[in-house]
């Protein structure tokens, strides 16, 4: 019986074609929805609510089992790998910050592409069945330079960050206009994964302006945020960080009296640890912090027994690529910069490996699921490539041909106020200040060097000035000589009350023989990709047969003959500097440790020759080593 006789009607060719298209469409729709989580297919009526002792979603109880993974700290090629490993651990919610300083590197110039494609990250989370708690700042802390605030804000000498000072709010509004427009369609009520949005971050520890949190809350609501609002504070700021209409959550590592505090201020509402610190960060010159897996699991077990929701900070830390590390300044004489790795001793390591913490948590979280957890995704192979020998070098002084035109100024000018980057100032890297001296004597920084300067006379290295060493003797010489100060921004403070004071470079006068120095030539050396590319293709490189001068750039080639694998760079015999692979800034290294390796993601390599450029300040042994596992230095338990 054919279609015509069976239906008792005759169908034209056109009608048959239309029926076929409808049938194909139904099959595609079925397969598309069949593999999506039940929660993302149901009609969206009632989002996340906090009206009783438990969160509810669509009126049904929901315990948030969350973890933090920052898209900007993980190579985009690995986003899916890390989120699949999150799901396989039994987590149901992804939390991420949004770094304003990366998304708006110059005022009014926005970047949401490639590594910074937040919408792609949200779509990926949704496709994998993860809910999202978005933490859009504008301040994020995150052990990130200036807590995620763009350095161009500091061009205003009267700037009052994280307040309703007009200079700050007038900068926040255009950023939120751009950002919130992008994330609104990904809210739960619109079929997306975002179930909650955090208002600012740990404001209670800052709390300089009672009107500020209401301003940020309104900035979110007025632009279309409709999901549950949260705030997040640790013990030192919990009493001052809330805002009316947002659920307060807490941050800690060891159970103290935080739970009791939440019961007192929010009786009969859900309790959540927004940041359960699974490890800790490291500072240059310190030891590598670890937090015992058994202790972590014990506290997480207690939290879950108390019927609370939890977010692991970090679930996977990743890396402070480039110059993006922050600095720590609480309870110490001067700020200490964070290391490049953000491994954080988290359940998933910097390179995406499973740790003891991961397996213990997976066993624990599996008890809170009715279905078996997904299989563990396979690990990525790693490789210790053969050492490579430095082939060429170029001095810092010769590299200045490829920087912006130098700037002449009677007085020193801090990095942020230099007339570079379309008058947005210099954000990161090094700045070279040169002036003239005519005698021997004593150089005094007056503590106006932020953060660390290599001092040269006629390109000969004399010594280092920083917050500990503020005086240096300069030798005798004939006639007029060039004094050079290569000043490094080692990372701006990301937490505490000194955010407004994070200008870098020479931030005031310096003295020579008690006389104020004047008439500077200032070179901006931010080492952006354009500069590295120009340098790489220049004709200034010299063979290693010619003795290198320091500081300098050193070039080698890593030949990869198979599919590229993750690896770690080791630089024994080198002092301090920065490594670039195929133009990408892997971050800082420093022999003082604790960190002794730099993570190199396989997707940033390619078959054949890979260009490695190292900027080294003072010494080299002429070769680069590779390892298949990291070395974060001597461990010490988090106190």
């Amino acid at each position: 019986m054919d279609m015509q006789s069976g239906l008792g009607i005759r169908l034209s060719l056109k009608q048959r074609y239309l029926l076929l298209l409808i049938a194909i469409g139904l099959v595609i729709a079925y397969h598309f929805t069949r593999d999506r989580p039940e929660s993302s297919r149901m009609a969206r009526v009632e989002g996340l609510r906090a009206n009783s002792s438990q969160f509810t979603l669509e009126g049904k109880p929901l315990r948030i089992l969350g973890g933090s993974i920052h898209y900007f700290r993980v190579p985009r090629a690995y986003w899916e790998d890390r989120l699949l490993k999150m799901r396989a651990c039994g987590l149901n919610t992804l939390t991420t910050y949004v770094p304003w300083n990366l998304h708006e590197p110059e005022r009014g110039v926005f970047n949401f592409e490639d590594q910074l494609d937040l919408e792609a990250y949200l779509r990926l989370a949704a496709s994998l069945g993860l809910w999202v708690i978005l933490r859009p700042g504008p301040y994020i802390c995150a052990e990130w330079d200036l807590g995620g605030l763009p350095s161009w804000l500091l061009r205003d000498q009267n700037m009052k960050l994280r307040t309703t000072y007009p200079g700050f709010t007038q900068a926040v509004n255009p950023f939120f206009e751009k950002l919130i427009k992008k994330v609104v369609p990904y809210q739960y009520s619109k079929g997306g994964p975002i179930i909650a949005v955090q208002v600012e971050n740990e404001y209670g520890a800052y709390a300089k302006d009672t009107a500020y949190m209401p301003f940020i809350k309104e900035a979110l609501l007025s632009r279309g945020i409709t999901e549950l609002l949260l705030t997040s504070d640790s013990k030192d700021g919990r009493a001052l960080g809330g805002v009316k209409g947002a659920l307060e959550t807490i941050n800690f590592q060891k159970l103290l009296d935080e739970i009791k505090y939440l019961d007192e201020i929010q009786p009969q509402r859900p309790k959540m640890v927004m940041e359960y610190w699974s490890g800790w960060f490291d500072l240059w010159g310190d030891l590598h912090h670890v937090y015992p897996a058994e202790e972590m699991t014990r506290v997480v077990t207690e939290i879950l027994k108390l019927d609370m929701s939890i977010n692991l900070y970090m679930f996977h830390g990743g890396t402070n690529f480039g110059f993006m590390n922050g600095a720590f300044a609480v309870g110490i004489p001067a700020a200490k910069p964070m290391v490049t790795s953000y491994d954080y001793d988290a359940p998933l390591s910097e390179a995406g490996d499973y740790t003891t913490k991961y397996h213990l948590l997976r066993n624990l979280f599996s008890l809170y699921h009715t279905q078996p957890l997904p299989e563990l995704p396979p690990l990525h192979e790693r490789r210790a490539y053969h050492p490579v020998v430095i082939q060429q070098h170029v001095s810092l002084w010769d590299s200045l041909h490829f920087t912006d035109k130098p700037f002449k100024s009677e007085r020193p000018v801090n990095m942020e106020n230099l007339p570079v980057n379309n008058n947005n100032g210099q954000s990161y890297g090094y700045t070279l200040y040169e002036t003239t001296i005519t005698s021997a004597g004593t150089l005094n920084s007056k503590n106006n060097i932020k953060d660390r300067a290599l001092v040269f006379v006629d390109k000969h290295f004399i010594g280092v000035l920083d917050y500990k060493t503020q005086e240096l003797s300069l030798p005798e010489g004939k006639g007029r000589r060039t004094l050079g100060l290569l000043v490094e921004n080692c990372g701006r403070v990301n937490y505490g009350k000194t955010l407004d004071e994070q200008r870098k470079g020479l931030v005031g006068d310096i003295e020579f023989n008690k006389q104020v120095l004047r008439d500077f030539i200032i070179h901006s050396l931010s080492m952006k990709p354009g500069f590295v590319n120009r340098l790489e293709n220049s004709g200034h490189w010299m063979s290693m047969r010619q003795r290198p001068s320091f500081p300098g750039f050193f070039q080698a080639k890593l030949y990869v003959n198979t599919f590229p694998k993750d690896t770690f760079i080791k630089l024994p015999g080198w002092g301090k500097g920065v490594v670039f692979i195929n133009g990408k800034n892997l971050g800082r290294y420093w022999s003082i440790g604790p960190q002794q390796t730099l993570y190199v993601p396989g997707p940033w390599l390619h078959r054949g020759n890979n260009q490695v450029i190292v900027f080294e300040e003072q010494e080299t042994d002429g070769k680069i080593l590779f390892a298949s596992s990291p070395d974060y230095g001597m461990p010490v338990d988090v106190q």
Side-chain angles (χ1 to χ4, degrees):
M1 183 166 66
D2 67 15
M3 186 184 283
Q4 291 176 16
S5 56
L7 291 173
I9 53 172
R10 285 186 177 275
L11 295 176
S12 69
L13 195 61
K14 187 175 179 182
Q15 288 169 321
R16 287 193 213 184
Y17 181 63
L18 282 171
L19 274 175
L20 184 62
L21 284 179
I22 291 167
I24 291 169
L26 288 170
V27 169
I28 291 170
Y30 169 72
H31 282 287
F32 176 71
T33 56
R34 184 190 63 174
D35 295 327
R36 294 179 72 191
E38 190 64 39
S39 53
S40 65
R41 297 204 305 262
M42 63 191 178
R44 302 289 176 91
V45 177
E46 186 180 290
L48 192 68
R49 297 289 183 269
N51 302 326
S52 61
S53 60
Q54 279 186 307
F55 286 113
T56 61
L57 190 68
E58 296 300 340
K60 296 176 184 172
L62 174 72
R63 186 199 298 266
I64 293 167
L65 301 175
S68 292
I69 302 180
H70 302 150
Y71 58 99
F72 47 95
R73 280 185 159 123
V74 179
R76 181 169 177 166
Y78 283 155
W79 285 355
E80 185 169 7
D81 172 76
R82 307 309 195 242
L83 297 192
L84 284 169
K85 287 170 178 169
M86 172 180 266
R87 275 201 65 207
C89 194
L91 301 185
N92 59 21
T93 303
L94 164 70
T95 70
T96 186
Y97 284 130
V98 177
W100 181 9
N101 53 8
L102 289 188
H103 286 295
E104 194 178 0
E106 296 177 9
R107 187 187 283 267
V109 176
F110 298 96
N111 182 5
F112 285 88
E113 295 174 355
D114 303 323
Q115 184 65 45
L116 297 175
D117 191 341
L118 174 59
E119 291 176 87
Y121 194 59
L122 296 172
R123 286 194 297 271
L124 176 62
S127 73
L128 299 178
L130 290 165
W131 302 123
V132 172
I133 295 175
L134 192 70
R135 309 174 81 186
Y139 164 84
I140 62 173
C141 181
E143 286 72 65
W144 196 249
D145 187 274
L146 203 58
L149 301 174
S151 65
W152 46 258
L153 291 166
L154 297 174
R155 289 176 68 79
D156 177 351
Q157 297 304 312
N158 302 311
M159 177 55 68
K160 295 177 180 62
L161 300 170
R162 300 179 75 194
T163 69
T164 51
Y165 170 67
F168 187 68
T169 59
Q170 286 162 16
V172 170
N173 280 324
F175 171 60
F176 266 22
E177 198 64 37
K178 198 80 172 176
L179 169 66
I180 305 305
K181 195 179 289 180
K182 287 180 178 293
V183 301
V184 157
Y186 295 94
Q187 295 184 103
Y188 178 85
S189 59
K190 298 184 181 299
I194 298 174
I195 55 171
V197 175
Q198 186 175 299
V199 185
E200 233 262 1
N201 187 56
E202 293 184 316
Y203 193 67
Y206 199 71
K208 291 189 175 183
D209 183 346
T210 54
Y212 177 67
M213 286 292 278
F215 159 72
I216 296 294
K217 178 188 156 191
E218 182 55 29
L220 295 168
L221 295 178
S222 64
R223 290 172 173 86
I225 294 296
T226 56
E227 305 305 328
L228 181 70
L229 296 180
L230 308 166
T231 61
S232 153
D233 281 281
S234 53
K235 188 177 182 181
D236 58 353
R238 63 189 187 187
L240 298 170
V243 63
K244 189 177 179 185
L247 182 76
E248 290 191 36
T249 67
I250 50 175
N251 306 337
F252 63 79
Q253 188 160 63
K254 296 176 182 176
L255 271 170
L256 297 166
D257 56 352
E258 277 85 350
I259 314 305
K260 186 176 157 197
Y261 168 76
L262 279 184
D263 276 333
E264 286 169 1
I265 63 157
Q266 294 175 155
Q268 294 305 306
R269 299 198 78 192
K271 294 190 285 289
M272 179 168 181
V273 188
M274 176 54 77
E275 291 185 15
Y276 177 69
W277 301 320
S278 64
W280 204 243
F281 53 82
D282 292 340
L283 306 172
W284 287 118
D286 278 7
L287 297 173
H288 169 51
H289 291 96
V290 294
Y291 182 46
E294 296 72 20
E295 177 66 9
M296 181 210 71
T297 312
R298 185 187 68 76
V299 180
V300 174
T301 302
E302 285 296 307
I303 290 167
L304 296 177
K305 278 183 181 170
L306 290 166
D307 216 20
M308 297 179 69
S309 286
I310 187 171
N311 175 59
L312 295 156
Y313 187 99
M314 296 293 295
F315 178 73
H316 168 56
T319 311
N320 297 316
F321 292 116
F323 295 120
M324 299 313 299
N325 61 277
F328 185 72
V330 180
I332 55 177
K336 286 184 112 173
M338 313 277 172
V339 303
T340 299
S341 169
Y342 200 60
D343 176 82
Y344 207 82
D345 195 33
L348 206 59
S349 78
E350 180 179 19
D353 292 334
Y354 304 116
T355 65
T356 302
K357 287 181 179 175
Y358 182 98
H359 293 297
L360 289 173
L361 285 172
R362 179 173 152 92
N363 290 339
L364 176 58
F365 290 148
S366 68
L367 305 176
Y368 294 85
H369 289 267
T370 53
Q371 300 294 321
L373 295 180
E375 299 259 327
L376 290 181
L379 291 173
H380 288 280
E381 253 186 274
R382 289 210 295 272
R383 187 164 169 193
Y385 292 103
H386 292 303
V388 296
V389 175
I390 297 297
Q391 297 166 323
Q392 296 176 301
H393 64 92
V394 63
S395 75
L396 166 75
W397 321 104
D398 285 336
S399 78
L400 298 176
H401 298 293
F402 308 104
T403 62
D404 289 333
K405 187 180 174 187
F407 170 61
K408 291 183 179 178
S409 173
E410 184 193 356
R411 297 167 180 271
V413 179
N414 58 287
M415 285 174 65
E416 295 80 4
N417 286 94
L418 289 173
V420 295
N421 299 319
N422 301 312
N423 277 323
N424 285 272
Q426 183 183 342
S427 295
Y428 314 108
Y430 295 76
T431 310
L432 176 64
Y433 297 82
E434 292 182 318
T435 186
T436 301
I437 57 171
T438 55
S439 67
T442 302
L443 185 66
N444 190 322
S445 72
K446 310 298 285 183
N447 202 24
N448 282 324
I449 286 174
K450 307 294 179 192
D451 296 299
R452 183 174 177 272
L454 303 182
V455 179
F456 303 88
V457 174
D458 282 345
K459 302 180 184 176
H460 294 292
F461 176 68
I462 305 298
V464 174
L465 290 175
D466 56 20
Y467 78 94
K468 287 182 289 194
T469 306
Q470 297 184 25
E471 277 196 0
L472 207 56
S473 292
L474 304 186
E476 287 285 357
K478 292 180 181 175
R480 293 165 61 84
R481 293 176 297 157
T482 300
L483 171 68
L485 295 135
L486 183 66
V487 185
E488 180 190 7
N489 163 11
C490 294
R492 295 182 184 85
V493 163
N494 54 275
Y495 180 82
K497 305 222 179 207
T498 62
L499 294 180
D500 295 345
E501 301 157 31
Q502 295 308 303
R503 293 171 185 87
K504 298 297 183 180
L506 291 187
V507 298
D509 288 332
I510 56 173
E511 291 180 357
F512 182 56
N513 293 337
K514 301 194 174 173
Q515 297 292 310
V516 172
L517 285 168
R518 288 287 181 255
D519 297 323
F520 289 89
I521 295 175
I522 308 172
H523 302 263
S524 170
L525 196 68
S526 49
M527 300 191 194
K528 291 182 176 179
F531 164 81
V532 176
N533 188 50
R534 290 191 297 276
L535 185 67
E536 183 185 325
N537 296 310
S538 79
H540 285 68
W541 293 94
M542 292 190 289
S543 160
M544 287 298 282
R545 287 192 295 272
Q546 293 168 280
R547 186 183 177 90
S549 69
F550 294 91
F553 292 87
F554 297 83
Q555 192 180 85
K557 285 190 166 48
L558 168 64
Y559 185 76
V560 176
N561 59 2
T562 57
F563 186 79
K565 308 284 197 303
D566 286 5
T567 189
F568 292 89
I569 277 182
K570 289 186 78 167
L571 294 160
W574 298 67
K576 183 178 190 301
V578 189
V579 181
F580 303 86
I581 284 215
N582 296 326
K584 288 189 183 289
N585 188 334
L586 296 181
R588 296 178 169 93
Y589 65 90
W590 197 353
S591 59
I592 65 169
Q595 180 179 356
Q596 299 294 336
T597 52
L598 285 177
Y599 175 51
V600 184
W604 289 7
L605 300 172
H606 50 247
R607 282 193 185 214
N609 279 324
N610 293 267
Q611 193 81 359
V612 187
I613 293 179
V614 182
F615 174 71
E616 165 59 44
E617 294 181 7
Q618 285 182 279
E619 60 180 330
T620 174
D621 78 343
K623 61 182 181 294
I624 297 169
L625 306 184
F626 296 89
S628 57
S629 56
D631 179 355
Y632 297 128
M634 186 181 291
V636 62
D637 281 0
V638 177
Q639 295 303 311

